[in-house]
Amino acid sequence: RLASSPAFAEYRSCAAMLAGFDPSELIDRAERLAFWINLYNALVIHAVIAYGVKESIREVAGFFWRAAYRLGNQRYSANDIEHGILRANRGHPLIPGPHFAENDPRRAHVVEPMDLRIHFALVCASRSCPLIGVYEAEANDRQLDLAARNFVNHGGVEVDPRARRVALSRIFFWYGRDFGGARGAVDFVLPYLDEGPAKAYLTKNPRGLRVGYQPYDWSLNR
């Protein structure tokens, strides 16, 4: 229904205007951060509709490479935005080395330093993804904190004191290098956990745990 709606037609017209936009016009880091997060999330929704995804983005081979917008004279895929720009050019977890080569002009738009909370703001149209939101430069810090807190407390972290085990979202596995490994991930999530038995247990037993990772549900988050 959305594919044939006036709202989507209007959005496509807006998206086409990106070809005339120069990202270097963004004023500061906060503005760049909000812009690229919002662009990534909008691009993924656009691609789901354009490619006719029915059950999962895995129906489309290379989805995150194929889904792309052109800004100025450069192409930006979803992977370019996530790994090249928002992860400060750290590169895809499965591909060694930086995402953008040294002579790639898109490196000029890398957001540095990386904010780990972006992992809870980027939405890949799957059920195990974080909740989607719209980010504003002047409210980035508050909104990213809220995104991390929502994700951690609504399924992203599961603590089983009896088994002395914590099960983290697979996002923490894929991006383990960003978080400093499993223990670094546990240290990261602790401040975001709501007060309660899980937080109390992790606080008292930060090193006496078995850390595992949850399966990821790639079905469409409709």
Side-chain angles (χ1 to χ4, degrees):
R1 290 195 297 269
L2 186 57
S4 58
S5 71
F8 183 57
E10 183 179 0
Y11 176 75
R12 288 197 303 170
S13 297
C14 290
M17 294 172 66
L18 287 167
F21 177 69
D22 181 357
S24 65
E25 294 177 13
L26 297 167
I27 297 171
D28 55 23
R29 182 180 181 279
E31 197 167 89
R32 295 199 304 275
L33 189 60
F35 173 81
W36 290 108
I37 290 173
N38 291 332
L39 190 68
Y40 177 96
N41 289 339
L43 169 60
V44 168
I45 295 172
H46 191 167
V48 165
I49 298 168
Y51 296 145
V53 173
K54 301 300 182 186
E55 300 297 334
S56 169
I57 57 171
R58 288 186 158 185
E59 297 165 16
V60 181
F63 179 91
F64 296 105
W65 294 107
R66 291 177 59 186
Y69 285 138
R70 183 165 291 279
L71 280 71
N73 60 354
Q74 298 294 329
R75 180 184 185 273
Y76 295 84
S77 70
N79 272 339
D80 294 330
I81 296 171
E82 179 178 9
H83 307 302
I85 294 176
L86 289 170
R87 291 185 60 242
N89 206 32
R90 290 196 172 199
H92 191 286
L94 299 179
I95 303 174
H99 186 84
F100 295 140
E102 189 173 346
N103 61 348
D104 193 317
R106 294 172 296 180
R107 288 185 67 151
H109 309 303
V110 169
V111 178
E112 296 181 296
M114 181 184 67
D115 191 320
L116 285 171
R117 297 172 298 178
I118 63 156
H119 290 297
F120 316 111
L122 301 179
V123 183
C124 64
S126 303
R127 287 187 179 177
S128 288
C129 288
L131 297 174
I132 197 166
V134 177
Y135 291 81
E136 301 173 356
E138 62 275 14
N140 269 343
D141 194 55
R142 176 179 58 80
Q143 290 178 314
L144 287 170
D145 255 1
L146 179 62
R149 190 171 298 280
N150 280 338
F151 187 75
V152 165
N153 289 288
H154 293 87
V157 177
E158 297 174 351
V159 180
D160 184 347
R162 287 188 176 183
R164 299 178 61 83
R165 185 176 185 273
V166 57
L168 302 175
S169 163
R170 195 150 291 268
I171 288 173
F172 292 101
F173 173 75
W174 293 326
Y175 300 105
R177 185 161 60 100
D178 294 355
F179 290 97
R183 297 301 172 184
V186 172
D187 290 340
F188 176 86
V189 304
L190 191 54
Y192 293 103
L193 276 171
D194 290 342
E195 296 298 331
K199 182 168 186 173
Y201 184 80
L202 284 183
T203 302
K204 292 179 180 178
N205 304 275
R207 302 300 176 201
L209 294 168
R210 291 185 299 140
V211 180
Y213 299 96
Q214 305 163 12
Y216 205 81
D217 187 349
W218 287 98
S219 57
L220 206 60
N221 61 345
R222 53 194 170 194

